[in-house]
């Protein structure tokens, strides 16, 4: 299957972009693997005719919005981010009425419709920097209350209003689970994604995006780590540092939607070109602005 994928990529001038949470064998055939911010930048700059995006819906959708003339395919378009929809109808409009200078800051893990109502998008690797750079004091941070509260800690000069949404996979990681691992591996450093609950963030040695976690582990002199994010990162962590040990909360955090990106599905979509991402013009125009502003402010 890998050989067939390589051949089809060459024939069709296609590139495969993959997030760190997709299965290891898919990361192996990908041309670019990274966190959400990196993948958005790669999608923007790509010169390929076709992008196969192995991730979840908001990622493929963002790639299409940034590249309207390219064919963007997803191996399984039903792969969705559960958090992307978690903003109650009418709430953004209500908040905009309540605060004159409100900036709606939208985590990229959101639907294109939510992006259309937002001033700027952010990812976990640039949220603090971007929120700091905004002129507005009042910020409505959607949809993730956990990333929102992590940002609020780093940017105390802003009034950050939280939305009641979160990633069900990261939110399931508890301080007790992490403590259980820490008791067994007392020398291990705790590396955490900011989508985790505050109680987990507070006991961590490092908090950052998937790339941030991977880079930190590689550069660290420590040999053991407790990883508080989805276990797909293990492939890159172990590849980078085969001599180090990585432990996960029990049960391992696993995003079932990300795992829909199988090698079979990648091959099939390259053969058939049948799972194309389509975004209507109004939505594309509305969502492009906050995405472009993110790429600019996040530089
Ligand atoms: P990153 O941008 O850190 O890769 O996070 C994406 C994501 O979906 C985390 O759950
Ligand atoms: Fe969305 Fe959570 Fe899956 Fe990331 S891990 S894609 S935030 S559901």
């Amino acid at each position: 299957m890998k050989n067939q994928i390589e051949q089809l990529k060459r024939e069709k001038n296609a590139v495969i972009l993959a997030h760190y949470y997709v299965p290891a064998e898919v990361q192996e055939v990908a041309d670019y693997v990274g966190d959400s911010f990196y993948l958005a930048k790669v999608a923007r700059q790509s010169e390929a005719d076709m992008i196969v995006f192995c991730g979840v819906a908001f990622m493929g959708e963002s790639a299409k919005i940034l590249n309207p003339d390219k064919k963007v395919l997803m191996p399984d378009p039903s792969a969705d981010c559960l958090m992307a929809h978690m903003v109650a109808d009418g709430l953004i409009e209500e908040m905009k009425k309540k605060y004159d200078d409100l900036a709606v800051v939208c985590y990229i893990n959101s639907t294109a419709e939510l992006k259309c109502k937002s001033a700027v998008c952010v990812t976990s690797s640039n949220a603090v920097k971007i929120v700091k750079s905004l002129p507005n004091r009042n910020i409505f941070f959607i949809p993730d209350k956990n990333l929102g509260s992590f940002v609020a800690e780093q940017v105390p000069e802003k009034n950050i209003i939280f939305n009641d949404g979160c990633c069900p996979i990261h939110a399931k990681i508890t301080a007790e689970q992490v403590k259980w691992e820490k008791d067994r591996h007392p020398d291990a450093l705790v590396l955490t994604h900011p989508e985790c609950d505050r109680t987990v963030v507070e006991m961590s040695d490092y908090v950052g995006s998937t790339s941030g976690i991977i880079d930190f582990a590689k550069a660290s002199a420590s040999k053991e780590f407790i990883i508080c994010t989805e276990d797909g990162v293990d492939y890159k962590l172990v590849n980078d540092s085969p001599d180090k040990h990585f432990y996960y909360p029990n049960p391992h955090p696993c995003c079932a939607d990300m795992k829909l990106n199988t090698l079979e599905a990648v091959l099939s979509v390259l053969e058939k070109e049948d799972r194309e991402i389509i975004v209507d013009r109004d939505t594309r125009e509305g969502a492009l602005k906050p995405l472009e502003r993110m790429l600019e402010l996040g530089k």
Side-chain angles (χ1 to χ4, degrees):
M1 267 195 285
K2 284 180 182 162
N3 289 340
Q4 285 173 276
I5 289 171
E6 288 302 334
Q7 196 181 331
L8 284 165
K9 272 200 306 193
R10 278 195 300 274
E11 276 172 30
K12 302 192 177 193
N13 189 25
V15 279
I16 300 181
L17 274 56
H19 188 265
Y20 286 124
Y21 294 165
V22 304
E25 59 274 21
V26 172
Q27 295 187 46
E28 273 173 17
V29 295
D31 300 284
Y32 303 93
V33 185
D35 70 4
S36 311
F37 187 43
Y38 171 78
L39 294 173
K41 286 188 289 188
V42 171
R44 179 56 148 177
Q45 289 153 11
S46 171
E47 286 185 357
D49 296 320
M50 192 188 288
I51 295 175
V52 176
F53 210 119
C54 305
V56 287
F58 77 82
M59 296 178 173
E61 214 170 52
S62 300
K64 181 67 186 177
I65 291 164
L66 291 165
N67 279 292
D69 301 331
K70 285 199 170 67
K71 198 165 201 176
V72 178
L73 306 166
M74 286 190 71
D76 190 333
S78 75
D80 200 2
C81 169
L82 299 170
M83 178 168 62
H85 308 265
M86 290 187 190
V87 181
D89 283 350
L91 189 58
I92 295 179
E93 292 74 9
E94 200 181 298
M95 289 298 171
K96 282 181 179 171
K97 271 191 210 144
K98 208 163 161 187
Y99 300 91
D100 278 349
D101 75 327
L102 190 79
V104 179
V105 174
C106 186
Y107 189 20
I108 197 167
N109 296 40
S110 54
T111 61
E113 288 70 26
L114 288 173
K115 290 183 176 80
C116 288
K117 298 179 183 181
S118 305
V120 64
C121 289
V122 296
T123 73
S124 54
S125 62
N126 60 32
V128 169
K129 182 177 175 182
I130 291 179
V131 169
K132 256 189 196 157
S133 75
L134 296 175
N136 317 60
R137 195 179 114 67
N138 292 305
I139 309 286
F140 184 33
F141 196 97
I142 57 167
D144 188 10
K145 64 178 176 196
N146 288 330
L147 180 61
S149 105
F150 175 71
V151 172
E153 289 268 317
Q154 320 288 312
V155 196
E157 65 274 24
K158 304 278 183 192
N159 176 37
I160 302 196
I161 303 141
F162 306 116
N163 170 70
D164 192 17
C166 66
C167 162
I169 287 95
H170 285 84
K172 258 193 217 127
I173 302 173
T174 64
E176 290 69 32
Q177 290 168 354
V178 179
K179 193 176 169 305
W180 197 91
E181 294 298 328
K182 190 80 183 162
D183 288 346
R184 274 141 196 89
H185 312 288
D187 295 333
L189 297 182
V190 179
L191 313 186
T192 295
H193 197 280
E195 285 177 15
C196 290
D197 187 78
R198 202 190 160 92
T199 52
V200 175
V201 166
E202 275 167 4
M203 65 198 292
S204 302
D205 298 287
Y206 172 81
V207 182
S209 74
T210 50
S211 294
I213 289 172
I214 287 163
D215 293 347
F216 184 97
K218 190 177 178 183
S220 171
S222 295
K223 292 279 177 220
E224 294 184 291
F225 304 90
I226 297 163
I227 303 295
C228 300
T229 192
E230 213 268 359
D231 67 358
V233 294
D234 198 61
Y235 172 70
K236 178 76 171 142
L237 286 167
V238 172
N239 247 331
D240 283 353
S241 315
D243 57 324
K244 297 184 180 176
H245 300 279
F246 302 100
Y247 311 106
Y248 294 81
N250 193 11
H252 277 207
C254 176
C255 179
D257 283 77
M258 285 284 189
K259 305 305 188 214
L260 292 171
N261 292 278
T262 61
L263 212 49
E264 288 83 352
V266 174
L267 177 57
S268 167
V269 82
L270 268 168
E271 278 170 347
K272 299 186 193 141
E273 299 182 30
D274 56 343
R275 294 175 154 189
E276 190 175 351
I277 304 302
I278 308 288
V279 181
D280 68 71
R281 210 181 75 184
D282 286 352
T283 310
R284 181 188 110 72
E285 284 175 4
L288 183 63
K289 274 188 220 134
L291 278 169
E292 280 189 326
R293 198 169 175 206
M294 171 188 80
L295 292 172
E296 186 53 37
L297 294 176
K299 262 183 197 162

